[in-house]
Amino acid sequence: MRDKSANRPPLHEPDLALHVEDLTVTYGERPALWDIDLDIPPGVLAGIIGPNGAGKSTLIRAILDLVRRSAGHVRLFGHPYRAQRLRVGYVPQRSSVDWEFPTSALDVVTMGLYGELGWWRRPGRSERDRALRALEQVGLEGLADRQISELSGGQQQRVFIARALVQQADIYFLDEPMAGVDATTERAIINLLRELRDAGRTAIVVHHDLQTVRSYFDWLILMNRRVIAQGPVEHVYTADNLRRTYGGQVALLDTGHDPAAL
Amino acid sequence: MIPLLSDPTLHTVALGTALLGVMSGVLGSFAVLRRESLLGDTLSHAALPGVCLGFMVTGARSLTGLMAGALVTAMLAAFAMVFLVRYTRLKTDAALGIALGLFFALGVVLLTHIQATGGAAQAGLDAFLFGQAAALSRADLLPMSSVGLVAVGLVVLLWKPLKLLTFDPEYAAVIGLPVRSLELLITLLVALTVVVGLQLVGVVLMTAMVIAPAAAARQWCCSLHGMVILAALLGATAGVLGGGLSALIPGLSTGPVIVLVASVIALGSLFFAPRRGLIPAWWRQGHRLSRTSSDRVLETVYQLACEHGSGRYRVEEGAVDAYHGIATAAILVSLRERGLLEAVDHMPDEGRHWRLTNEGMSYAAARAGRPDEAIGV
């Protein structure tokens, strides 16, 4: 699990938190992602928006080497992902785990430190304290010893987030963190992401709710298997771009009015 | 009794079955948590042709040769399953079934062929179907325990990667763990467990040894290490008890007796374990029932009637059950006996409904502190 960075390739676009070029991913015979070019500067709270089937989750998974790339390359702060896994935190969609596994919330968060500990070292007191602090950040310190099967949906989501936070990564990828959580949890999550951004970290969030995009994010990427538009949210969130992204599905926006009025 | 306890055969059997129980508990925990319980089934059935081939190659019933053959065919079946899943549209369960059928049928064909043509050396080969502890010799213990030590040792050594892989394989991949290699390792270790258990429990029932101790332990433990340790203990207990019983009573196949003991332990855990067992859950329900006073149930019906603005409002029993978290039928009936509620029917596809009587309305209103307020009729 340790990075073997003895033979690093030369730095490529080190000033960007995320640089993606020509990324293509194929499922079966059709491309799920085609010719993706992305440049995200550090210290922003970025949202990735698009209709169902747009490949948003696939994009995150391709960046993290969970899915094979047919073409293109990815650099994080100038380096390939494999060279610096510990600088990257990942919060997947909740469904990827069996919640009947015998473990407590604290234990799940501690597992976030396994990458740092390597294959042999066992987690000790300092790891336990860091995990507790991460649980405090998401407001779950009272549930540290609770079995995960007894947690509510919003609490489970926050445990996943704490697991990523405990790494103190420089860049976080979150795949639909607000899906299926209540309003209080959603507010807590977005406040947490804002704190990360204010501390200079970068957060990239796949989001599903158009209504909240403008208030949540500073940076926006609109995609539908290709990138339609990307940049600061005020420039990108326009009726024209939304129409091109959602095709016929957002015909209601074709009013010529300011989208903020909707 | 004393002569029995010092019987060297019993010692051998006890050691062998205890070892098997520990391995089954430890590796079975991972198989069960990864939802690959039936992998043990396929691996054990696929070991049969390997045992026969091992016999045909070495010409004698030497356990090491048979175990080696068994391991080879078991792993071949595992690869066949992976191949089918990856390159065809088959899902894991169907692929496991196909591999199992193919290899086990081949094994039975080989076995009957050997029994028809082989000499005295093949006697006892069919003991591998259901296990025969009495056939275990002191010399057999050495290869068995070496394999067992290696398997359990690897699990302890690779504890963190295996735990992470079992809980969240995707996260394990993100951290950089070699997921495919670790999964292959787990399969190999389960195959080793199956191979060790072949002589004692037999190919047909070995799958139960992989599943039952782990399933039992899960009911009691809330951490992975707790579950694995308890599963090892429960497996060893089942092994020693079952193996001992079958050695004492002549003519009993060992495999079924051990599996019976293990199954009783598993069922007992499912029924009686304090937090997750069925019986304690029923008791807690009953406890809650006795603590839910009839006044509170009446209050629920009353509040609903107030909210719907009608004293004649019909409340379905299921809604009252849901609010209080228990079956309230008995309480509602007792309220009817006191003249405070009456039972009515509503829609044909719904359950029984309840409605306040006039006495019930005044009673509930008085308790709520609003005796003069009349709800609309």
Side-chain angles (χ1 to χ4, degrees), chain A:
Chain A
M1 288 185 266
R2 291 233 176 259
D3 303 330
K4 298 200 170 36
S5 38
N7 306 311
R8 275 187 183 176
L11 288 179
H12 179 59
E13 300 286 1
D15 297 327
L16 292 171
L18 176 67
H19 168 71
V20 177
E21 207 175 307
D22 302 337
L23 182 67
T24 301
V25 171
T26 318
Y27 277 153
E29 289 152 14
R30 292 174 46 76
L33 295 174
W34 169 250
D35 192 31
I36 302 275
D37 292 327
L38 269 187
D39 288 313
I40 300 183
V44 299
L45 182 47
I48 301 182
I49 312 291
N52 288 334
K56 309 186 291 289
S57 286
T58 308
L59 174 60
I60 305 285
R61 294 160 64 81
I63 291 171
L64 298 175
D65 274 345
L66 290 170
V67 156
R68 213 178 57 82
R69 293 194 285 274
S70 306
H73 61 265
V74 175
R75 295 288 182 267
L76 297 157
F77 302 105
H79 298 290
Y81 171 63
R82 277 159 202 260
Q84 49 185 2
R85 292 181 191 274
L86 298 182
R87 288 180 78 181
V88 178
Y90 174 46
V91 183
Q93 289 182 15
R94 213 159 64 231
S95 50
S96 63
V97 153
D98 176 16
W99 289 96
E100 288 295 315
F101 194 89
T103 183
S104 64
L106 184 66
D107 199 25
V108 173
V109 177
T110 310
M111 285 196 238
L113 292 170
Y114 280 10
E116 212 177 284
L117 288 170
W119 284 61
W120 315 121
R121 276 171 53 210
R122 304 281 202 220
R125 154 115 304 157
S126 78
E127 282 77 32
R128 194 189 136 90
D129 288 339
R130 283 171 65 186
L132 266 173
R133 259 180 282 134
L135 277 176
E136 274 168 27
Q137 274 184 284
V138 296
L140 288 180
E141 66 275 13
L143 295 176
D145 292 322
R146 187 74 57 88
Q147 289 284 293
I148 57 175
S149 54
E150 294 165 18
L151 297 176
S152 74
Q155 290 163 341
Q156 289 171 346
Q157 187 65 298
R158 283 190 277 167
V159 168
F160 262 175
I161 294 177
R163 182 178 69 176
L165 286 178
V166 79
Q167 284 176 247
Q168 291 172 306
D170 293 314
I171 181 168
Y172 291 95
F173 289 91
L174 298 96
D175 196 352
E176 305 224 15
M178 325 288 200
V181 302
D182 54 85
T184 318
T185 306
E186 181 161 340
R187 264 198 302 280
I189 292 176
I190 197 64
N191 284 334
L192 191 60
L193 292 175
R194 285 183 184 136
E195 277 171 40
L196 285 175
R197 184 232 8 235
D198 295 339
R201 322 251 194 221
T202 311
I204 300 175
V205 181
V206 171
H207 196 57
H208 64 283
D209 182 14
L210 273 180
Q211 306 278 52
T212 43
V213 164
R214 291 182 44 132
S215 57
Y216 283 174
F217 303 111
D218 351 289
W219 198 269
L220 187 60
I221 296 127
L222 289 171
M223 65 174 288
N224 190 350
R225 294 211 256 130
R226 308 197 60 182
V227 174
I228 308 294
Q230 58 179 303
V233 66
E234 318 80 56
H235 300 162
V236 172
Y237 192 87
T238 64
D240 199 51
N241 282 338
L242 287 170
R243 191 186 322 118
R244 283 167 51 209
T245 306
Y246 285 83
Q249 292 169 261
V250 195
L252 290 172
L253 287 179
D254 194 9
T255 62
H257 293 134
D258 176 5
L262 291 163

Side-chain angles (χ1 to χ4, degrees), chain B residues 49-140:
Chain B
V51 167
C52 298
L53 286 172
F55 174 80
M56 284 158 71
V57 163
T58 64
R61 238 198 97 267
S62 113
L63 191 62
T64 318
L66 300 178
M67 272 170 68
L71 186 65
V72 165
T73 53
M75 288 308 287
L76 276 177
F79 288 132
M81 187 270 288
V82 169
F83 177 86
L84 285 172
V85 167
R86 197 171 297 164
Y87 294 105
T88 72
R89 288 172 187 270
L90 276 181
K91 297 286 187 289
T92 312
D93 59 344
L96 279 173
I98 289 184
L100 189 156
L102 175 67
F103 279 75
F104 189 58
L106 182 63
V108 173
V109 164
L110 283 174
L111 182 64
T112 47
H113 172 76
I114 291 175
Q115 286 177 325
T117 63
Q122 60 78 27
L125 211 53
D126 58 351
F128 281 93
L129 282 174
F130 287 107
Q132 188 55 260
L136 192 68
S137 74
R138 258 281 128 106
D140 294 336

Side-chain angles (χ1 to χ4, degrees), chain B residues 50 126 219 273 316 360:
Chain B
D126 58 351
Q219 298 299 107
E316 186 165 350

Side-chain angles (χ1 to χ4, degrees), chain B residues 228-255:
Chain B
V228 167
I229 292 174
L230 183 61
L233 280 171
L234 291 177
T237 308
V240 170
L241 276 178
L245 273 173
S246 89
L248 285 174
I249 308 172
L252 270 189
S253 280
T254 315

